[in-house]
């Protein structure tokens, strides 16, 4: 993977993390850095899941892949929020 691919993966991860955070209702008690890290992880895992179901590369916008990634990011944000709430 080239440096441009890594940078684009990080940018896409940031977008996925923010969209995942917007999907979760209420206020989340996690920071921006955690949101970005969850988004990056969700982008990579979501791409793998989409590839496994053969929906990663379609004509036009890959809406199914995006929905999988955003859903995973929302799940990750909600999980981290609950873990942080239990610690306090």
């Amino acid at each position: 993977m080239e440096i441009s691919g890594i940078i684009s993966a990080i940018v896409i991860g940031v977008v996925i993390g923010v969209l995942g955070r917007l999907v979760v209702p209420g206020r989340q008690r996690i920071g921006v850095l955690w949101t970005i890290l969850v988004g990056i992880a969700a982008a990579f895992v979501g791409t793998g899941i989409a590839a496994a179901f053969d929906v990663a590369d379609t004509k036009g916008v890959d809406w199914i892949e995006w929905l999988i990634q955003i859903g995973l990011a929302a799940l990750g944000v909600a999980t981290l929020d609950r873990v942080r709430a239990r610690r306090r």
Side-chain angles (χ1 to χ4, degrees):
M1 182 176 259
E2 296 179 14
I3 191 72
S4 62
I6 294 171
I7 291 172
S8 64
I10 291 171
V11 171
I12 290 170
V14 170
V15 172
I16 294 294
V18 169
L19 290 173
R21 190 172 181 147
L22 289 174
V23 170
V24 177
R27 184 175 185 271
Q28 294 83 37
R29 293 171 291 273
I30 65 171
V32 174
L33 183 59
W34 281 111
T35 302
I36 292 170
L37 292 175
V38 166
I40 292 169
F44 281 115
V45 173
T47 298
I49 292 171
F53 287 106
D54 201 28
V55 293
D57 292 319
T58 59
K59 294 180 182 179
V61 179
D62 298 325
W63 293 108
I64 298 172
E65 182 179 7
W66 275 83
L67 290 174
I68 292 169
Q69 292 170 338
I70 293 168
L72 288 172
L75 182 66
V77 166
T79 302
L80 270 177
D81 184 44
R82 286 191 178 170
V83 167
R84 300 260 330 210
R86 287 183 186 173
R87 283 188 178 177
R88 292 178 185 196

